[in-house]
Amino acid sequence: MDGTGGGRRAYIGSYTSAGGRGISTAAVDPDTGALTVLHHTDAVPDPSYLVPGPGAGMLYAVSETEDGRAAALSLADPDRPGPAGAQVSVGGAGPTHLTCAAGQLITANYTSGSISSLPLRPDGTLGAQPTVLPHHGCGPVRERQEGPHAHAVVADASWRWLLAVDLGADSVWVYRLDHAGAAPRPHGRTPLRPGSGPRHLAFHPRGDRAYVINELDSTVTCCRWDRASGVLEPAGEVRTLPADAGGEARENYPSELVVSADGRWAWAANRGHDSIAVLALEPDGDGMELVTTVPCGGHWPRDLALDPAGRRLYAANERSGDVTWFDLDPDTGVPRRAGAVEAPAATCVVFG
């Protein structure tokens, strides 16, 4: 089977301003995990992050530009995503991440240091009036933390809470989700270690632990998460680089972390070191151990994604312009490179 017929699709985001093709559609071979690119659309400028809709038939994208926007794309033809309604201002600059939760499309706006909430209409298109929730604060790394820089928004498994990770303010904000269709409501804030630069967050499959990957010091912070009270509590840290990394550690900026469905492993992308860190999770979820690192298959891995079956890992290598896929050893957690496809200025991979 060549993988280009029916079956699962992957969508690759890329920076059009850096020579990327916008949003690419790829067929996923069910036997090998190989990607075959079928189509490109540049209808959305700089679609640096994508998320499938809560139901079938829609794909959402941020437009990471100064006048930040969000876009809905119809998957009526899953091979050719097309605009569904107009692109909508998020009321913030440089949106880098988004999620669907409680009837809203929520974006993290890096440049302006805020999150925005756009109502989803019954047909999946975007409402035009965002609610903007600004962050505040700064950190000790002056050139990166002069003010807040929201970088990711993630809903917890209960769908009662939204966690917003802010690199500039060294904090994770907690918002209460309103399932009556209103925007998220501020609930609390968890400070992390000054200068760590938290970027993204992933939950343990049990839902009671969260792991924050820190861009500015190559660490992951393990946190306890109380979904009854909406309280996040740091419990420990682990490095994403080996002790012998040397000078490479000074020019390394981790980007993404994903956790296995069985809660035994996590994988973190190291930009600069150009590696994937393999992390073994302690049974209680309170800690991690760095097992090894393996080459990411390219340069500057901006995103990692697990396939829906959890058997393969995909790395979007922005500066080498490719997406590499790996077979995962279920006993050791170590990825083994299995192939790659060209994807200029790749920023993310999601599965439809």
Side-chain angles (χ1 to χ4, degrees):
M1 182 174 180
D2 67 5
T4 60
R8 188 168 294 280
R9 296 294 184 255
Y11 300 98
I12 303 166
S14 63
Y15 282 124
T16 55
S17 61
R21 296 163 179 159
I23 299 171
S24 299
T25 305
V28 185
D29 188 293
D31 298 319
T32 67
L35 301 182
T36 302
V37 175
L38 305 175
H39 179 258
H40 311 288
T41 176
D42 60 1
V44 181
D46 288 346
S48 62
Y49 211 84
L50 312 172
V51 66
M58 203 67 76
L59 181 71
Y60 299 99
V62 292
S63 179
E64 190 183 333
T65 55
E66 187 62 28
D67 62 342
R69 293 181 173 270
L73 297 103
S74 170
L75 297 179
D77 179 349
D79 291 348
R80 304 176 69 87
Q87 296 177 29
V88 175
S89 171
V90 301
T96 58
H97 195 258
L98 76 170
T99 192
C100 294
Q104 305 280 313
L105 184 74
I106 303 163
T107 67
N109 309 318
Y110 179 83
T111 305
S112 55
S114 61
I115 71 166
S116 298
S117 182
L118 291 159
L120 293 175
R121 298 188 176 115
D123 64 358
T125 58
L126 299 174
Q129 294 298 323
T131 298
V132 181
L133 299 161
H135 289 177
H136 56 84
C138 58
V141 183
R142 291 185 179 180
E143 64 274 19
R144 296 293 308 279
Q145 296 185 308
E146 77 292 346
H149 292 302
H151 213 304
V153 280
V154 182
D156 85 325
S158 74
W159 294 101
R160 294 175 56 203
W161 309 101
L162 179 86
L163 278 64
V165 184
D166 196 298
L167 184 151
D170 288 320
S171 297
V172 178
W173 265 262
V174 179
Y175 294 86
R176 186 183 295 274
L177 291 170
D178 186 334
H179 289 268
R185 291 178 288 151
H187 174 75
R189 174 185 179 186
T190 299
L192 299 183
R193 188 167 45 76
S196 56
R199 177 184 171 98
H200 276 210
L201 175 150
F203 281 100
H204 190 282
R206 282 199 315 261
D208 61 354
R209 299 293 187 273
Y211 306 99
V212 181
I213 191 162
N214 300 309
E215 179 173 333
L216 299 184
D217 69 355
S218 298
T219 62
V220 175
T221 303
C222 308
C223 301
R224 300 185 182 99
W225 169 243
D226 186 337
R227 53 188 159 189
S229 62
V231 173
L232 187 73
E233 177 189 5
E237 283 187 350
V238 65
R239 295 273 291 167
T240 65
L241 292 175
D244 60 0
E248 294 173 307
R250 291 191 295 272
E251 299 297 330
N252 188 65
Y253 305 96
S255 60
E256 181 62 290
L257 176 137
V258 293
V259 180
S260 65
D262 63 8
R264 296 176 59 205
W265 310 102
W267 299 273
N270 285 310
R271 294 178 300 176
H273 193 252
D274 287 342
S275 66
I276 298 171
V278 182
L279 303 162
L281 303 188
E282 294 179 0
D284 63 5
D286 276 349
M288 295 177 158
E289 178 185 357
L290 177 63
V291 176
T292 189
T293 59
V294 300
C296 69
H299 180 32
W300 212 251
R302 184 179 173 86
D303 187 46
L304 295 178
L306 288 168
D307 76 326
R311 295 186 299 159
R312 296 183 180 91
L313 183 69
Y314 292 76
N317 297 313
E318 180 185 346
R319 294 186 180 174
S320 56
D322 54 73
V323 173
T324 304
W325 56 91
F326 301 81
D327 294 326
L328 294 171
D329 186 313
D331 297 320
T332 66
V334 175
R336 179 178 60 81
R337 187 183 186 278
V341 68
E342 181 187 9
T347 57
C348 74
V349 182
V350 300
F351 292 88

